[in-house]
C-alpha cells in the first residue's frame, strides 16, 4: 500500500511538477521580456525628453557621431543601442536585448539569423499604413534550442511613433553616404517611412538553462522522497518565482529610478515633473474642487559663463551645489525637479501667494550665496517665474508654458521673481516663439549679412567692410539687431550666432580678396563673446576654414563690453591678438571713455561714435571732440574711423582735419554681399573732392531705400 502510494505520489508529483515547471518557465520568461521592452521604452522616452530640454538650453544638437562632436548628444536610436550593450554587462546573463532592423546600416543590428527573418516577416504581416491611428503591434516569440540550451527569443515592433522620428530617418535615407551603403548592401535606397510604420524591432533573448536546471533537480529529488518531494517542489518553485521576481523588481526599480531622475543632481527629471503635474490635473478633473498648486520655474543666471570659462567639471559641481540649495530651501514644502541645463522646477501644492513669495525669496537668497569650488569664489543669479493651477492653466502643457513665460518675464525685468501675467502673455509668447525661430535660423544659416564699406580719406580707396547681421523672423518680420542679439545672449545662442556671422563674413571677404580687392572685414563681438575662453579657438578655426589672413580680420568691441570685466577681457583679447587679428574699439566716446583701458587692450583702431559726427559741421563742440579724438588716436599709434558720415558737411570737415578713415550712408549704405560685389568695381575708389564739389549732398551710389541704421554682431 505504502509502496503504491509512494509510486502514485511520485508519479503524480513528477507529472505535475514537470508540466507546471514548463509553464512557469515560459510565463516568467515572457513576463521578463515584456518588462525589459517596457523599461527600454521608458528609458528612451525619458532620454528623449531630457535631450529636448538640453537642446533648448544650450542650442547644440543630436548626432549619430556625437562621440566625435563635443557638446552633441547621441540620437535616441544610438542611446537605445548603448543601453542594450550596458544591459548585457549588468544583468549577469539573465537576459539580453538589442534593437534590430533590416534597414540598419550596422551589421550587428541587422537581420542575421532565421528566427529574426521569421519574426520580422510575422511583424511585417501585421503592418498596415495608417498614419492617423497607431497600430496595436503583437509581439512574436519562440522557444528554441541552441548550443547554450533552451532560450526564449522574443521580438516586438519598434515603429516610427512620432513625426520627429519619421523626419529624422527619412532625412537619413537621403544622405549620400547612406544611399551608397544601401546600394553596396543590395538594398533599394531612398526608402521613406510613414507615421506608425514598422521601422525596427527590439529582440529579447532569455536563456532558460538556470531555471530549467533547478526544475530538473527538484523533480529528481521529489522522486526519491515521497511526501517531501511535494514540499521541496513547492518551496523550490516559490523560491524560483520569488528570486526571479526580486531580481526583476530590482532591475525595474533601477531602470525606473534612472528614467525618472537626473543623473547629475539626483533630483527628479522633467519626465517625473510632468507625471506629477498630470496627477494634479487628473485629481482636479475627478474632484469638483481639486487641490490647487503653484509651478515655479528657475533659471540660474551666469551659469553658462562659469561652465564655458572654467570647464564642465567645475560647472557640474556648481550646478550640484545649486540644486542642493534649491532642495533645502523648498524642504518638504514641495517637489523639486531639474529640467535640464541650468533650469529647475518646483511644484508647491496648496500654497498661498504669500507662502510662494516667501519660498521664492528663500530660494533666491540661497542661490546668490558664493560658491567656493576648486579655489574659485563664484556667484550666480537666478530668475524665477510662477504660475497657478488651475487659475492660469488647466493642463500640464499649458501650466509649463505659463511658468516659462513668467520666468522669461523675470529674466528680462528688474526683479528676480515674477508671477504669470495673462496681460503680458502675448509679448512673452512672441519672445518664446522668436527664440525657437532664431535657433532654427542659426542652424539653417538663414540670417542675412550686409556689408558697409570703409574708405581711406587720404587715398580714396575702400579699405574694408563691416559685417552687419539682419534677420527676418517668420512671425515678427524684420527684427532689429539689438533685439535678436540680446535674445541670443539670454537663451545661450550668442556663440553660435557669432560663429555663423564670423564664418560667413570671413568667407565672403576672402572671395573678394581673391577677385583682386584688398579688403578687410570687421565683425562685432558681444560682451559674452569677449569673456568666453573659447573665443580664441573659434577665431582660429574660422581663419583655418576660410583661408582668410588673420591681418584681414578686425574684431570690434565696445567700451561697455570691455569694462564689464577688463582683466578677463584683456586676457582673452591678448590670446586672440596673438593669432594676428586686429581689434577696434567701436562707438568710442559713447560709453566709459576711460583712457586707462586703451593702454591695456591690444587695439589698433578707434571708431568714433556717430553721435559726434552727425552734427560736426554745425556744432563747434562736436568738432572739438572729433579733433581731440583724432589727435589722441595718432599719439597712441591708432587708426581713427569716423562712422555715421551722412552728409557732405561732415565729410568736408573730416577731410579738412585729415581723418584716417570714414564710414556712413553718405558714402555707401550696408548692402547684401551679391549687391556689394556687383558694385565693387565702381565704388572701390572715390574722390572726396569730386564728391562734395558736385553739390549733390548725396553719394552717387546711395539709393533712396530706407535701411534701419543699427549695428549687429
Amino acid at each position: 500500500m505504502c509502496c503504491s502510494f509512494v509510486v502514485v505520489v511520485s508519479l503524480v508529483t513528477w507529472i505535475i511538477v514537470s508540466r507546471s515547471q514548463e509553464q512557469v518557465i515560459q510565463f516568467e520568461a515572457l513576463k521578463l521580456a515584456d518588462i525589459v521592452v517596457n523599461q527600454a521604452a521608458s528609458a528612451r522616452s525619458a532620454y528623449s525628453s531630457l535631450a529636448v530640454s538640453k537642446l533648448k538650453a544650450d542650442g547644440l544638437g543630436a548626432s549619430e557621431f556625437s562621440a566625435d562632436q563635443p557638446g552633441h548628444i547621441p540620437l535616441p536610436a544610438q542611446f537605445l543601442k548603448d543601453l542594450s550593450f550596458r544591459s548585457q554587462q549588468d544583468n549577469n546573463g539573465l537576459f539580453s536585448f538589442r534593437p534590430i532592423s533590416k534597414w540598419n546600416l550596422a551589421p550587428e543590428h541587422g537581420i542575421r539569423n532565421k528566427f529574426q527573418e521569421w519574426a520580422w516577416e510575422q511583424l511585417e504581416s501585421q503592418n498596415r499604413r495608417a498614419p492617423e491611428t497607431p497600430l496595436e503591434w503583437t509581439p512574436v516569440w519562440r522557444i528554441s534550442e541552441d548550443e547554450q540550451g533552451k532560450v526564449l527569443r522574443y521580438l516586438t515592433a519598434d515603429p516610427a511613433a512620432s513625426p520627429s522620428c519619421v523626419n529624422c530617418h527619412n532625412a537619413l535615407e537621403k544622405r549620400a553616404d547612406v544611399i551608397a551603403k544601401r546600394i553596396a548592401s543590395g538594398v533599394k535606397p531612398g526608402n521613406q517611412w510613414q507615421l506608425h510604420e514598422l521601422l525596427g524591432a527590439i529582440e529579447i533573448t532569455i536563456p532558460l538553462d538556470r531555471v530549467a536546471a533547478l526544475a530538473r533537480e527538484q523533480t529528481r529529488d521529489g522522486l526519491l522522497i515521497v511526501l517531501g518531494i511535494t514540499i521541496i517542489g513547492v518551496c523550490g518553485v516559490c523560491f524560483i518565482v520569488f528570486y526571479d521576481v526580486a531580481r526583476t523588481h530590482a532591475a525595474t526599480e533601477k531602470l525606473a529610478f534612472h528614467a525618472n531622475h537626473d543623473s547629475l543632481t539626483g533630483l527628479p527629471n522633467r519626465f517625473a515633473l510632468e507625471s506629477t503635474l498630470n496627477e494634479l490635473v487628473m485629481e482636479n478633473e475627478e474632484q469638483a474642487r481639486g487641490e490647487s498648486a503653484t509651478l515655479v520655474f528657475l533659471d540660474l543666471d551666469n551659469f553658462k559663463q562659469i561652465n564655458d570659462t572654467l570647464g564642465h567639471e567645475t560647472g557640474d559641481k556648481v550646478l550640484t551645489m545649486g540644486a542642493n540649495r534649491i532642495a533645502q530651501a523648498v524642504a518638504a514644502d514641495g517637489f523639486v525637479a531639474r529640467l535640464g541645463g541650468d533650469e529647475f522646477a518646483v511644484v508647491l501644492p496648496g500654497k498661498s501667494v504669500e507662502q510662494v513669495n516667501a519660498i521664492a525669496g528663500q530660494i533666491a537668497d540661497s542661490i546668490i550665496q558664493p560658491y567656493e569650488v576648486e579655489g574659485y569664489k563664484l556667484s550666480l543669479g537666478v530668475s524665477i517665474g510662477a504660475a497657478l493651477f488651475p487659475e492660469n492653466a488647466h493642463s500640464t502643457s499649458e501650466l509649463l508654458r505659463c511658468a516659462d513665460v513668467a520666468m522669461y518675464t523675470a529674466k528680462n525685468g528688474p526683479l528676480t521673481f515674477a508671477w504669470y501675467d495673462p496681460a503680458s502673455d502675448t509679448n512673452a509668447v512672441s519672445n518664446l516663439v522668436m527664440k525657437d525661430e532664431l535657433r532654427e535660423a542659426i542652424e539653417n544659416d538663414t540670417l542675412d549679412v550686409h556689408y558697409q564699406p570703409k574708405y581711406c580719406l587720404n587715398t580714396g580707396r575702400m579699405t574694408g567692410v563691416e559685417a552687419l547681421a539682419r534677420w527676418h523672423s517668420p512671425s515678427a518680420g524684420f527684427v532689429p539687431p539689438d533685439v535678436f542679439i540680446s535674445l541670443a545672449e539670454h537663451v545661450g545662442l550668442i556663440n553660435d550666432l557669432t560663429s555663423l556671422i564670423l564664418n560667413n563674413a570671413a568667407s565672403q571677404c576672402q572671395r573678394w580678396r581673391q577677385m583682386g580687392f584688398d579688403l578687410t572685414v570687421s565683425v562685432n563681438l558681444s560682451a559674452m563673446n569677449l569673456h568666453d575662453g573659447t573665443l580664441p579657438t573659434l577665431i582660429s578655426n574660422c581663419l583655418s576654414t576660410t583661408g582668410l589672413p588673420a591681418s584681414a580680420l578686425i574684431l570690434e568691441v565696445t567700451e561697455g563690453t570691455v569694462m564689464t570685466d577688463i582683466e578677463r577681457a584683456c586676457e582673452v583679447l591678448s590670446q586672440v591678438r596673438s593669432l594676428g587679428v586686429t581689434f577696434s574699439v567701436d562707438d568710442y566716446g559713447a560709453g566709459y571713455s576711460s583712457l586707462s583701458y586703451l593702454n591695456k587692450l591690444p587695439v589698433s583702431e578707434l571708431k568714433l561714435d556717430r553721435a559726434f559726427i552727425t552734427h560736426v559741421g554745425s556744432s563747434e563742440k562736436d568738432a572739438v571732440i572729433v579733433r581731440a579724438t583724432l589727435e589722441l588716436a595718432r599719439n597712441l599709434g591708432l587708426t581713427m574711423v569716423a562712422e555715421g558720415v551722412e552728409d557732405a558737411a561732415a565729410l568736408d570737415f573730416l577731410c579738412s582735419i585729415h581723418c584716417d578713415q570714414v564710414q556712413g550712408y553718405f558714402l555707401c549704405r550696408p548692402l547684401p554681399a551679391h549687391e556689394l560685389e556687383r558694385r565693387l568695381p565702381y565704388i572701390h575708389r572715390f574722390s572726396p573732392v569730386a564728391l562734395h564739389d558736385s553739390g549733390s549732398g548725396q553719394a552717387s551710389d546711395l539709393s533712396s531705400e530706407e535701411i534701419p541704421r543699427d549695428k549687429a554682431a
Side-chain angles (χ1 to χ4, degrees):
M1 184 70 178
C2 292
C3 292
S4 300
F5 177 78
V6 170
V7 172
V8 171
V9 170
S10 299
L11 181 60
V12 171
T13 302
W14 182 82
I15 294 173
I16 294 175
V17 171
S18 296
R19 291 183 177 180
S20 65
Q21 284 169 349
E22 293 296 329
Q23 294 175 353
V24 168
I25 292 169
Q26 178 177 302
F27 173 77
E28 292 299 323
L30 288 173
K31 183 174 70 173
L32 178 58
D34 287 335
I35 291 173
V36 173
V37 169
N38 291 335
Q39 293 306 315
S42 298
R44 180 169 58 179
S45 174
Y47 171 82
S48 299
S49 178
L50 289 172
V52 170
S53 300
K54 179 171 178 56
L55 290 178
K56 288 183 177 180
D58 61 20
L60 295 173
S63 171
E64 61 182 310
F65 307 109
S66 58
D68 300 323
Q69 298 182 11
H72 285 63
I73 59 175
L75 293 170
Q78 185 61 42
F79 166 77
L80 192 61
K81 294 177 183 178
D82 293 341
L83 187 63
S84 70
F85 177 77
R86 296 271 182 98
S87 74
Q88 296 179 26
Q89 298 176 326
D90 296 339
N91 62 31
N92 295 324
L94 181 62
F95 65 86
S96 67
F97 85 92
R98 62 176 176 178
I100 67 167
S101 172
K102 72 175 183 179
W103 303 101
N104 206 301
L105 295 176
E108 65 272 15
H109 294 288
I111 305 297
R112 302 192 306 170
N113 56 51
K114 291 183 178 180
F115 168 77
Q116 293 173 348
E117 293 174 356
W118 170 81
W120 187 270
E121 290 177 358
Q122 295 297 313
L123 291 180
E124 281 190 328
S125 67
Q126 303 174 28
N127 191 20
R128 58 183 172 84
R129 295 185 177 274
E132 300 80 12
T133 307
L135 179 64
E136 291 294 330
W137 296 91
T138 301
V140 294
W141 57 273
R142 177 183 290 174
I143 294 178
S144 59
E145 290 272 354
D146 60 14
E147 62 276 4
Q148 298 178 350
K150 279 190 176 183
V151 294
L152 171 70
R153 300 191 184 280
Y154 178 102
L155 200 71
T156 183
D158 187 15
S162 69
S164 62
C165 178
V166 174
N167 294 338
C168 179
H169 282 274
N170 285 343
L172 183 69
E173 290 297 333
K174 295 178 180 179
R175 282 186 7 199
D177 60 326
V178 174
I179 292 174
K181 290 181 178 179
R182 291 280 186 243
I183 295 174
S185 302
V187 178
K188 182 179 178 181
N191 186 71
Q192 296 290 288
W193 285 270
Q194 296 187 25
L195 192 63
H196 307 308
E197 187 178 6
L198 178 63
L199 177 61
I202 296 178
E203 181 186 23
I204 311 296
T205 303
I206 302 176
L208 304 180
D209 281 354
R210 284 188 294 174
V211 178
L214 287 174
R216 284 192 296 269
E217 289 179 8
Q218 290 160 3
T219 303
R220 185 175 60 251
D221 292 341
L223 294 174
L224 300 176
I225 305 175
V226 180
L227 297 178
I229 187 61
T230 304
I231 299 174
I232 295 174
V234 170
C235 292
V237 171
C238 291
F239 172 76
I240 293 172
V241 172
F242 175 78
Y243 176 77
D244 186 47
V245 170
R247 285 187 61 107
T248 303
H249 181 69
T252 302
E253 284 191 338
K254 184 177 180 181
L255 286 173
F257 181 85
H258 288 298
N260 289 277
H261 288 77
D262 173 52
S263 59
L264 176 63
T265 63
L267 293 176
N269 56 23
R270 189 184 187 94
F271 182 77
L273 171 68
E274 292 180 354
S275 298
T276 300
L277 295 177
N278 287 336
E279 291 178 3
L280 282 172
V281 172
M282 291 179 62
E283 290 177 2
N284 187 68
E285 292 176 350
E286 293 172 357
Q287 303 176 19
R289 299 180 63 183
E291 184 180 35
S292 64
T294 303
L295 176 61
V296 179
F297 266 24
L298 303 94
D299 182 81
L300 303 182
D301 300 331
N302 305 324
F303 171 74
K304 188 177 187 303
Q305 183 177 350
I306 293 175
N307 204 41
D308 293 343
T309 303
L310 300 179
H312 292 288
E313 184 176 349
T314 300
D316 287 348
K317 292 180 180 179
V318 173
L319 198 59
T320 303
M321 294 171 67
N324 291 336
R325 293 184 184 185
I326 295 172
Q328 291 174 2
V330 175
D333 292 327
F335 175 88
V336 181
R338 183 191 177 199
L339 302 181
D342 57 358
E343 292 185 347
F344 296 84
V346 178
V347 180
L348 300 172
K351 299 295 181 184
S352 65
V353 171
E354 292 76 14
Q355 290 174 318
V356 174
N357 287 336
I359 293 174
Q362 294 171 7
I363 294 174
D365 290 341
S366 65
I367 290 295
I368 63 176
Q369 299 302 315
Y371 298 77
E372 295 186 3
V373 180
E374 298 179 357
Y376 297 101
K377 196 171 186 179
L378 308 172
S379 61
L380 289 176
V382 64
S383 298
I384 306 175
L388 291 170
F389 173 83
E391 288 84 347
N392 297 143
H394 295 278
S395 67
T396 296
S397 59
E398 185 65 12
L399 185 61
L400 290 168
R401 189 191 69 80
C402 291
D404 195 25
V405 168
M407 184 186 72
Y408 197 86
T409 301
K411 183 176 285 290
N412 291 279
L415 301 177
T416 299
F417 176 68
W419 284 93
Y420 171 73
D421 181 9
S424 62
D425 193 6
T426 301
N427 183 54
V429 171
S430 175
N431 284 334
L432 292 173
V433 172
M434 282 177 58
K435 174 178 67 173
D436 292 332
E437 291 178 346
L438 179 58
R439 177 179 286 109
E440 183 175 350
I442 293 173
E443 291 175 351
N444 298 332
D445 192 6
T446 57
L447 278 85
D448 296 323
V449 182
H450 289 197
Y451 300 89
Q452 185 173 34
K454 296 192 299 184
Y455 289 93
C456 174
L457 285 182
N458 184 40
T459 63
R461 184 176 63 85
M462 185 189 299
T463 60
V465 294
E466 180 179 1
L468 303 169
R470 298 287 184 263
W471 180 43
H472 286 265
S473 162
S475 63
F478 178 80
V479 182
D482 57 336
V483 173
F484 71 77
I485 289 173
S486 176
L487 178 63
E489 290 176 335
H490 279 118
V491 300
L493 294 174
I494 189 61
N495 282 347
D496 294 330
L497 175 61
T498 302
S499 177
L500 176 66
I501 302 304
L502 186 65
N503 281 280
N504 286 349
S507 297
Q508 190 61 60
C509 183
Q510 179 64 0
R511 170 182 169 83
W512 291 330
R513 291 173 67 87
Q514 291 172 346
M515 293 170 58
F517 299 101
D518 186 18
L519 300 177
T520 62
V521 63
S522 301
V523 178
N524 292 269
L525 299 180
S526 80
M528 295 184 70
N529 295 139
L530 197 58
H531 302 110
D532 188 346
T534 64
L535 181 63
T537 302
L538 176 65
I539 301 298
S540 177
N541 291 340
C542 172
L543 296 175
S544 175
T545 302
T546 62
L548 182 71
S551 58
L553 177 61
I554 301 175
L555 299 177
E556 297 190 8
V557 297
T558 63
E559 296 173 281
T561 60
V562 171
M563 297 304 290
T564 303
D565 185 351
I566 189 169
E567 297 299 329
R568 178 63 178 165
C570 288
E571 179 184 347
V572 174
L573 292 181
S574 296
Q575 294 177 19
V576 177
R577 185 69 182 87
S578 65
L579 300 174
V581 175
T582 301
F583 282 97
S584 173
V585 177
D586 193 18
D587 298 335
Y588 182 76
Y592 294 87
S593 297
S594 171
L595 301 180
S596 61
Y597 76 89
L598 289 178
N599 288 327
K600 298 180 179 180
L601 296 178
V603 297
S604 303
E605 182 181 274
L606 287 184
K607 294 188 72 174
L608 187 60
D609 187 68
R610 67 179 62 245
F612 301 109
I613 306 300
T614 303
H615 305 293
V616 72
S618 58
S619 171
E620 183 59 31
K621 290 183 179 180
D622 286 347
V624 170
I625 292 174
V626 174
R627 287 193 188 96
T629 305
L630 178 60
E631 187 67 23
L632 171 65
R634 287 176 175 167
N635 289 335
L636 293 175
L638 307 177
T639 299
M640 191 181 96
V641 179
E643 57 180 347
V645 179
E646 299 183 0
D647 54 42
L651 185 60
D652 282 338
F653 174 79
L654 294 170
C655 287
S656 69
I657 64 172
H658 304 291
C659 181
D660 298 319
Q661 296 182 25
V662 291
Q663 175 184 352
Y665 275 54
F666 184 71
L667 299 164
C668 184
R669 63 184 174 86
L671 298 171
H674 65 88
E675 179 64 17
L676 182 61
E677 186 170 305
R678 184 181 68 83
R679 296 191 186 191
L680 265 178
Y682 312 104
I683 65 174
H684 186 248
R685 289 182 177 273
F686 84 106
S687 172
V689 175
L691 184 63
H692 42 85
D693 280 351
S694 66
S696 65
Q698 188 175 14
S700 59
D701 70 311
L702 184 62
S703 74
S704 60
E705 180 184 357
E706 279 295 324
I707 300 294
R709 303 184 180 186
D710 46 25
K711 188 161 293 188

